[in-house]
Amino acid sequence: MAIEILQTDDQYVLNHCTKFLARDNKDPRHNFGQLSNDDPRSRIAENWRFPIIDSYSDGKDFVKSYSSNVVTFVYQQPGATPPTDVAVIGTFANLYEPIPLKPVNFVGEPTGYYALSIVVPKAQFHTYKFIVNGQAIIDPINPQRTQLDNGQLWSRFFTQLCTEPLNFEDWEFDIVTRLVDHILPFRTKEGENFLNRYYNFLGKQDKQVQYAYAYRLDESVGAANFIDNILAREENHHLIDYKICLGQINQILRKRNPYVEPKNVSKELYIDLYNEMATNQVNGWNYQQYQEPRFFLQLLRRHTFSGAFSHPKYGGNVGGTGWAYLSERYRDQNGKTLFDWRRAIEAPLGLNSDYRG
Amino acid sequence: MQTEFDVVIIGSGAGGSPIAYTLAKAGKSVLILEKGPLFRPQYQNPQGLSDFKRDELFADGPEKRIRIPGVANFNEAFYSSHVEPDINDEPHIYRDPNGQDRATIEGYTAQVVGGGTQLYGGVSLRFTPTDLRLQSFNAGRNDLKNDPNGDVQREARDWPVSYDELEPYYVKAEYLVGLNGTVDNQLKPFSKDSYQPPLEPNPISNYAKAGMDKLGEQLGAGKPIKPYRTPLAVITRDHEPSGRKVPKDPETLKTSYVNRFGCPLGVKSSTWVSLLSPIASLPNFEIRTNCVVTHLESEGSKVSRVVYRDPSGKTRFVQGKLVIVACSAIESIRLLKLSAQLSSEFNKRINQNDLLGKYFLTHCFGGASALMPTRSDKTLALDADWATDACATDDFLKSRGLWAGGAVYNNTSDQALPISLGRTHGSRDLDTLWKGFIEDTSLAAQGLTDFLDNNIGRGLSVSFMANQVPLKTNRIELHPTIQDKWGRPVAHIIKQWHSHDRYLMDTLAEMCGQILKLGGNTIPGEFKFEFQGQGGVYLAENALARIANHILGGARFGNDRNDSVLDRNCKAWDFDNLYVTDGSFMPTSGGANPTLTIQANSFRVADELLKRL
Ligand SMILES: Cc1cc2nc3c(=O)[nH]c(=O)nc-3n(C[C@H](O)[C@H](O)[C@H](O)COP(=O)(O)OP(=O)(O)OC[C@H]3O[C@@H](n4cnc5c(N)ncnc54)[C@H](O)[C@@H]3O)c2cc1C
């Protein structure tokens, strides 16, 4: 497997790591419940940013470039003695071939950071380890880790538009999707009409280019997938809320309708549950286990709305569907859209030929 | 690594860059130390992609939680942009009305090369001549409202430079930075029109224009005061001084990713693209990014060393014949106070009259908002289309018992995109983002559809920006216990609104409300006009911290060494080579957004520095 190594300059690496990694304070100020206080990562701001996942361009074909990311691994030397060698192995290349990280300099002097940028296709999920002084270690910064079948821990990353389930079991996905359905406007009558039209009448080329990564298109424009992604990384501290609350919701729905799987129960049951959560009074809720169902609902609402309307690279708003809904819904007397999202956004998602994403 | 320079400038934003531009062009060796990263627009990047994105989540950031020991808002959610500091690392602390300390993201502009000018809305109005002479203007007045103790007359100050002296530098800044707008109908004197032509206004702004026209007729009494196109720091034509180019059809520049977004095309005139890029390849200019200055050291009346942490956190130092502090007001004051804490000699000189940090200023600001009777595509906009000087005339001030006036302009791109609409719904400040939306659980299914139907493309707001009464008790201190990620005390913002400030905000909010009502009621349409409200920032939940990213004062300049921290050229009185040129030099905060004035003043100071080198 040939892997493309990209020559990013040191400035690029420093721009993306200094703010987070350079520090003295040893307070666990960056632990919002996702790490233990004695974990060194609890001192690092936004450690979910590592490895750095960025847009890619080959300088020629921006449509083709759209399907890849640049992934930059950063290793920070602990203490004063530089390691003799730092490399990375991972599923993005041949596992037996460590790829060396290069020292990062500042005005010609070493910084103690080591970095490597590679090109990885979008919508992928990989595991990796650093090899430091000949020893394989998991990435000391990145909070994402995966236990393999052999029990070994590996570091993990995923590229944009990833649709592989990262946290949720199937049944959890099902419940999130039903809840998300109720929040978003796509399950109103006009909303459903829109989705049918939009997905069914997509041109072949659009389907190939923009929607190649479409995931469960009919499932609330991918917002559930967005939530799975954000819980794996940026808002990992809320994964526990989802795990507990989805478990409870599952049980409550099974009690309310013992004959039908929670994913298939009536819309009304979800609406009732939504309304009860909104008032914090949920019949059958175990308040000892989770005090505020309303808090969970608030979280879910923010995530759902963000997922449906943020840039599709985050895994929701598939192919710009959320935006397209607004674009179709709001029109002037002549039928011209009053939400012309495509104009500002990069090709092939949008139509802007100046901005490249 | 070179360690000696003619000039060392700390901070690459509005206050620092004009000095770098002028002195580097004159052949002096110039170093900028900048805490933030260098984010380049796509035309400058080797990969052809920009480090800034048209991407709401990238710009706004995910939820984080405050985990600073001892603050009253411990565990509350916060959202900071990718170029603001993480407030767990570097909080600003303010004292709330109950006397408790809370962490806030307010008071940061942006930490990136270009500083606040990377994220700003680019509204680039000049201050009025009266703004610079509020002491003289208010002397002997007995008509001022809500000023029971005569604070205005006691505390108002004239600037040590007049409008006439500053005017050529406004011209210079306008030309070199790159603005679009119209001079016609502005009441400030202009010796030269350097604006590029504005783009077609967004149709929703027609209501604002109609309202401003009507208000101008009412207030102008026989001589109507007309609106003009808001000067915006966005180029609409190829910009010769910076070599920037615009697309063939400049109208395609319109997007709602302007205010709060870095510009991937480099058409927003940040100090990086307009002033620093043109000197970037000069051999006598260097910028060291991702370097935070921790303190200054002095020997006698000279700043002898500038001490900083390099990108890995290692301590380093440089020397400059002249040292310019331009970290934006709060952080500059903090830097000087930290230096004073470490050295009694430094302390004696910078605190010769104990004024450093005092008279910290923000702006009186606020406005009014409404849902207009027709829908427009608000995603096709820059930031503000129309402005009026109707609330800044001496007649207006006297008729309302106001000590100072303000600029009024409409916002076009606010809440244009769904996420910005969601996160700012029902919230008035940066500390309560998303709160209104998440608590309003009725916004689901049909409820959410109705919300979008009501708001997308219909919201119009008119804002004002005006002077705040300077108060000695409004100040920046070092926090006694809370420290940043380097273990240094953080900035403590202690401030209140004066009763006249509140009166002024109510008065100008009423004017903004009038504009919307007068404009909104004139044009019948498919929807009804729905007035949403008006008010000043003192009504916000975190009103005592709320500062609209306009942080000013705290190291004011003046002619009297007992009454100011800096002399008229922004030199610290008891130092030979220490200058402060960000917004902290202002003795009064001006009746308009501050950046253009910070830039103009820096160009002025730069000419003075040239005489010394
Ligand atoms: C969202 C937003 C919208 C705005 N809209 C407008 C507008 O429309 N019109 C307007 O006039 N103004 C606007 N402003 C305000 C404007 O950005 C500021 O007035 C202006 O940038 C202040 O200039 P300054 O030189 O004081 O500081 P800045 O421009 O902020 O520059 C300070 C620089 O110093 C650096 N720095 C800080 N501490 C250190 C340190 N210890 N060591 C090294 N470097 C350091 C910072 O990283 C920063 O780059 C807006 C601001 C924001 C954030």
Side-chain angles (χ1 to χ4, degrees):
Chain A
M1 212 185 323
I3 181 84
E4 189 186 341
I5 296 177
L6 205 73
Q7 297 308 324
T8 42
D9 57 12
D10 289 355
Q11 173 86 54
Y12 174 86
V13 178
L14 296 175
N15 282 345
H16 286 82
C17 74
T18 304
K19 171 177 165 186
F20 311 105
L21 301 183
R23 64 190 51 250
D24 283 349
N25 193 321
K26 301 225 177 341
D27 288 352
R29 289 192 192 174
H30 302 283
N31 170 24
F32 322 132
Q34 76 281 29
L35 299 160
S36 66
N37 271 349
D38 56 4
D39 188 319
R41 290 171 299 170
S42 67
R43 295 177 212 146
I44 300 173
E46 303 186 20
N47 48 10
W48 54 266
R49 288 186 187 271
F50 297 90
I52 304 155
I53 314 280
D54 204 346
S55 312
Y56 169 71
S57 163
D58 65 1
K60 296 179 282 237
D61 182 345
F62 292 106
V63 174
K64 202 168 130 224
S65 301
Y66 185 73
S67 51
S68 294
N69 280 136
V70 177
V71 176
T72 304
F73 299 95
V74 177
Y75 176 78
Q76 184 182 23
Q77 154 195 333
T81 320
T84 46
D85 56 78
V86 186
V88 64
I89 49 165
T91 50
F92 44 81
N94 291 322
L95 271 177
Y96 49 82
E97 254 174 45
I99 312 170
L101 273 65
K102 284 206 181 123
V104 175
N105 288 341
F106 165 71
V107 197
E109 296 189 16
T111 56
Y113 300 121
Y114 296 76
L116 166 75
S117 296
I118 57 173
V119 181
V120 182
K122 277 187 178 164
Q124 291 194 348
F125 160 104
H126 290 288
T127 51
Y128 70 98
K129 279 188 181 181
F130 286 140
I131 314 278
V132 183
N133 295 337
Q135 294 279 330
I137 59 163
I138 41 183
D139 184 338
I141 302 171
N142 178 2
Q144 291 191 68
R145 288 169 183 182
T146 300
Q147 190 153 27
L148 301 187
D149 290 345
N150 60 11
Q152 264 203 28
L153 267 189
W154 282 67
S155 291
R156 176 184 85 182
F157 72 88
F158 57 94
T159 47
Q160 292 167 353
L161 301 171
C162 177
T163 55
E164 201 148 336
L166 299 164
N167 304 296
F168 289 152
E169 310 283 334
D170 282 352
W171 66 269
E172 289 171 320
F173 253 121
D174 292 334
I175 295 178
V176 172
T177 306
R178 290 294 309 269
L179 288 166
V180 161
D181 271 354
H182 174 59
I183 295 168
L184 289 174
F186 306 111
R187 286 292 173 266
T188 59
K189 211 164 169 203
E190 299 100 311
E192 289 208 5
N193 278 340
F194 162 78
L195 283 190
N196 288 336
R197 256 196 328 279
Y198 194 64
Y199 290 145
N200 292 339
F201 291 95
L202 280 177
K204 191 167 165 231
Q205 207 198 344
D206 264 358
K207 273 192 179 138
Q208 271 169 359
V209 183
Q210 287 190 44
Y211 300 89
Y213 311 101
Y215 171 68
R216 301 174 179 186
L217 271 180
D218 55 335
E219 293 182 15
S220 296
V221 304
N225 186 53
F226 167 87
I227 295 174
D228 186 46
N229 274 212
I230 198 169
L231 293 176
R233 205 161 51 191
E234 293 89 322
E235 294 196 24
N236 184 242
H237 52 286
H238 286 310
L239 180 59
I240 186 74
D241 298 84
Y242 277 82
K243 285 285 173 188
I244 295 174
C245 295
L246 293 175
Q248 291 220 25
I249 291 169
N250 183 35
Q251 280 176 11
I252 290 170
L253 289 174
R254 281 179 190 281
K255 250 193 224 141
R256 292 187 186 179
N257 187 344
Y259 308 106
V260 180
E261 282 295 303
K263 73 169 174 182
N264 294 327
V265 298
S266 69
K267 196 171 167 176
E268 283 65 37
L269 273 190
Y270 276 94
I271 295 177
D272 287 348
L273 193 69
Y274 181 97
N275 292 337
E276 289 171 33
M277 287 201 283
T279 56
N280 235 356
Q281 309 280 324
V282 186
N283 218 336
W285 191 269
N286 179 347
Y287 285 88
Q288 251 154 4
Q289 197 189 20
Y290 197 87
Q291 270 184 359
E292 295 245 4
R294 186 182 153 84
F295 175 79
F296 174 65
L297 187 70
Q298 292 179 338
L299 200 60
L300 181 74
R301 290 182 62 253
R302 176 169 63 79
H303 286 166
T304 300
F305 190 76
S306 304
F309 295 112
S310 56
H311 194 289
K313 68 189 184 192
Y314 296 105
N317 187 14
V318 180
T321 320
W323 293 337
Y325 170 74
L326 304 177
S327 160
E328 182 183 281
R329 191 166 177 84
Y330 306 119
R331 296 189 174 257
D332 67 12
Q333 305 90 315
N334 306 320
K336 191 173 163 284
T337 182
L338 294 174
F339 189 82
D340 193 356
W341 66 274
R342 283 183 189 272
R343 224 179 79 139
I345 298 293
E346 72 277 13
L349 188 63
L351 300 173
N352 197 289
S353 54
D354 294 305
Y355 169 58
R356 302 185 198 123
Chain B
M1 200 182 291
Q2 188 181 344
T3 56
E4 288 181 29
F5 298 85
D6 288 332
V7 191
V8 174
I9 301 170
I10 308 163
S12 62
S17 298
I19 294 183
Y21 180 89
T22 310
L23 298 192
K25 283 229 154 182
K28 308 298 170 199
S29 64
V30 176
L31 171 73
I32 293 186
L33 290 169
E34 167 55 55
K35 180 178 184 183
L38 171 59
F39 276 8
R40 300 188 195 97
Q42 54 187 30
Y43 70 91
Q44 293 181 341
N45 246 333
Q47 316 293 341
L49 294 171
S50 165
D51 296 311
F52 290 111
K53 309 281 176 204
R54 291 181 176 168
D55 169 350
E56 291 200 89
L57 287 196
F58 176 71
D60 294 333
E63 188 221 50
K64 288 172 275 185
R65 307 220 138 223
I66 296 171
R67 305 295 264 188
I68 300 157
V71 295
N73 52 350
F74 187 83
N75 220 24
E76 278 182 18
F78 73 94
Y79 305 86
S80 50
S81 95
H82 61 125
V83 288
E84 282 164 329
D86 185 311
I87 62 175
N88 281 317
D89 275 345
E90 297 163 274
H92 281 162
I93 304 291
Y94 75 100
R95 197 166 283 167
D96 72 13
N98 306 320
Q100 287 188 306
D101 286 344
R102 303 171 80 87
T104 179
I105 191 67
E106 293 280 350
Y108 276 112
T109 48
Q111 295 192 339
V112 58
V113 172
T117 66
Q118 290 284 14
L119 294 192
Y120 76 158
V123 173
S124 298
L125 296 154
R126 297 178 174 195
F127 288 180
T128 65
T130 307
D131 282 328
L132 306 195
R133 47 185 300 279
L134 286 172
Q135 186 171 27
S136 314
F137 178 72
N138 286 294
R141 282 179 69 182
N142 53 16
D143 60 332
L144 290 169
K145 298 260 174 64
N146 293 30
D147 181 28
N149 304 320
D151 292 328
V152 164
Q153 280 174 14
R154 196 174 52 254
E155 298 293 12
R157 292 290 181 279
D158 288 350
W159 287 32
V161 295
S162 65
Y163 184 89
D164 286 347
E165 227 173 318
L166 201 57
E167 207 280 339
Y169 294 102
Y170 271 134
V171 172
K172 188 169 188 177
E174 283 160 349
Y175 172 66
L176 290 176
V177 168
L179 312 184
N180 77 79
T182 53
V183 166
D184 282 355
N185 300 335
Q186 295 203 43
L187 298 186
K188 291 129 313 201
F190 275 72
S191 66
K192 195 165 175 215
D193 178 355
S194 313
Y195 293 154
Q196 296 188 340
L199 303 179
E200 279 300 304
N202 187 287
I204 198 141
S205 303
N206 292 339
Y207 293 108
K209 175 169 189 298
M212 287 180 192
D213 272 331
K214 290 225 160 71
L215 185 76
E217 282 163 24
Q218 287 174 7
L219 295 178
K223 208 170 145 223
I225 301 162
K226 294 211 155 99
Y228 51 90
R229 295 301 305 284
T230 316
L232 289 176
V234 178
I235 55 165
T236 57
R237 298 290 180 271
D238 291 352
H239 184 244
E240 203 228 305
S242 62
R244 286 177 291 153
K245 303 248 181 283
V246 296
K248 256 201 218 108
D249 176 5
E251 286 291 324
T252 63
L253 292 175
K254 286 193 284 200
T255 136
S256 37
Y257 299 94
V258 177
N259 190 12
R260 293 205 65 79
F261 290 88
C263 178
L265 304 185
V267 292
K268 179 154 87 179
S269 299
S270 73
T271 55
W272 166 249
V273 291
S274 60
L275 299 177
L276 300 180
S277 297
I279 57 168
S281 58
L282 292 180
N284 54 322
F285 173 69
E286 187 182 344
I287 177 161
R288 293 187 190 159
T289 58
N290 300 299
C291 290
V292 57
V293 174
T294 54
H295 62 281
L296 311 177
E297 291 174 357
S298 60
E299 270 169 28
S301 62
K302 281 216 154 28
V303 172
S304 51
R305 297 209 305 179
V306 175
V307 186
Y308 69 98
R309 302 273 198 148
D310 78 7
S312 64
K314 190 172 162 195
T315 300
R316 296 180 182 273
F317 69 89
V318 285
Q319 292 175 307
K321 286 185 195 143
L322 303 177
V323 173
I324 319 293
V325 176
C327 302
S328 82
I330 296 178
E331 287 303 306
S332 286
I333 291 163
R334 176 173 171 233
L335 178 65
L336 294 172
K337 285 193 175 256
L338 287 169
S339 310
Q341 210 177 41
L342 293 171
S343 149
S344 57
E345 173 74 20
F346 195 99
N347 184 38
K348 197 179 81 200
R349 288 181 184 277
I350 198 71
N351 277 320
Q352 52 96 9
N353 59 11
D354 203 27
L355 277 185
L356 178 68
K358 311 268 166 59
Y359 295 104
F360 172 65
L361 294 164
T362 62
H363 267 132
C364 288
F365 76 101
S369 62
L371 297 174
M372 304 320 284
T374 50
R375 201 188 294 281
S376 309
D377 189 347
K378 287 195 10 141
T379 70
L380 310 184
L382 296 179
D383 194 45
D385 282 327
W386 294 101
T388 173
D389 289 343
C391 301
T393 63
D394 292 359
D395 285 349
F396 176 78
L397 306 186
K398 290 198 170 139
S399 69
R400 313 282 153 141
L402 290 169
W403 84 297
V408 172
Y409 53 91
N410 82 286
N411 307 103
T412 312
S413 63
D414 56 332
Q415 300 196 319
L417 297 167
I419 294 191
S420 79
L421 179 63
R423 74 202 287 267
T424 56
H425 169 63
S427 99
R428 286 178 199 243
D429 54 60
L430 296 178
D431 290 337
T432 54
L433 293 174
W434 281 114
K435 221 172 161 181
F437 179 86
I438 61 174
E439 285 178 359
D440 190 351
T441 48
S442 69
L443 303 186
Q446 191 57 46
L448 187 57
T449 311
D450 295 344
F451 170 72
L452 294 169
D453 285 355
N454 258 331
N455 287 286
I456 295 277
R458 288 188 60 201
L460 180 62
S461 61
V462 172
S463 303
F464 65 83
M465 205 52 75
N467 278 279
Q468 179 189 2
V469 176
L471 291 177
K472 194 169 182 185
T473 45
N474 284 349
R475 63 196 191 274
I476 303 299
E477 291 186 350
L478 296 180
H479 196 277
T481 55
I482 298 171
Q483 300 186 332
D484 72 1
K485 65 173 181 171
W486 301 114
R488 307 178 311 153
V490 301
H492 200 194
I493 306 168
I494 300 163
K495 111 182 204 301
Q496 286 195 326
W497 296 105
H498 190 273
S499 51
H500 189 78
D501 291 338
R502 285 197 278 260
Y503 167 74
L504 188 155
M505 286 189 250
D506 289 345
T507 308
L508 291 191
E510 168 70 23
M511 294 297 111
C512 296
Q514 282 296 327
I515 288 172
L516 287 174
K517 287 174 194 160
L518 291 166
N521 286 329
T522 48
I523 307 170
E526 143 194 22
F527 307 101
K528 282 204 182 78
F529 168 75
E530 189 185 317
F531 189 70
Q532 292 180 306
Q534 66 194 33
V537 65
Y538 76 91
L539 297 164
E541 200 168 307
N542 66 351
L544 295 184
R546 192 73 181 101
I547 37 204
N549 312 107
H550 296 177
I551 47 179
L552 307 162
R556 69 186 182 191
F557 74 159
N559 286 325
D560 176 357
R561 59 175 288 123
N562 296 316
D563 188 47
S564 53
V565 176
L566 310 171
D567 72 10
R568 74 188 309 278
N569 292 328
C570 290
K571 183 180 76 65
W573 279 105
D574 282 353
F575 281 99
D576 274 352
N577 65 342
L578 174 62
Y579 291 76
V580 184
T581 58
D582 53 49
S584 58
F585 77 88
M586 293 192 189
T588 55
S589 48
N593 314 49
T595 308
L596 180 70
T597 303
I598 298 174
Q599 290 167 329
N601 181 63
S602 284
F603 278 118
R604 183 187 67 86
V605 171
D607 277 356
E608 295 297 326
L609 299 181
L610 266 185
K611 292 180 197 158
R612 293 196 52 182
L613 285 168

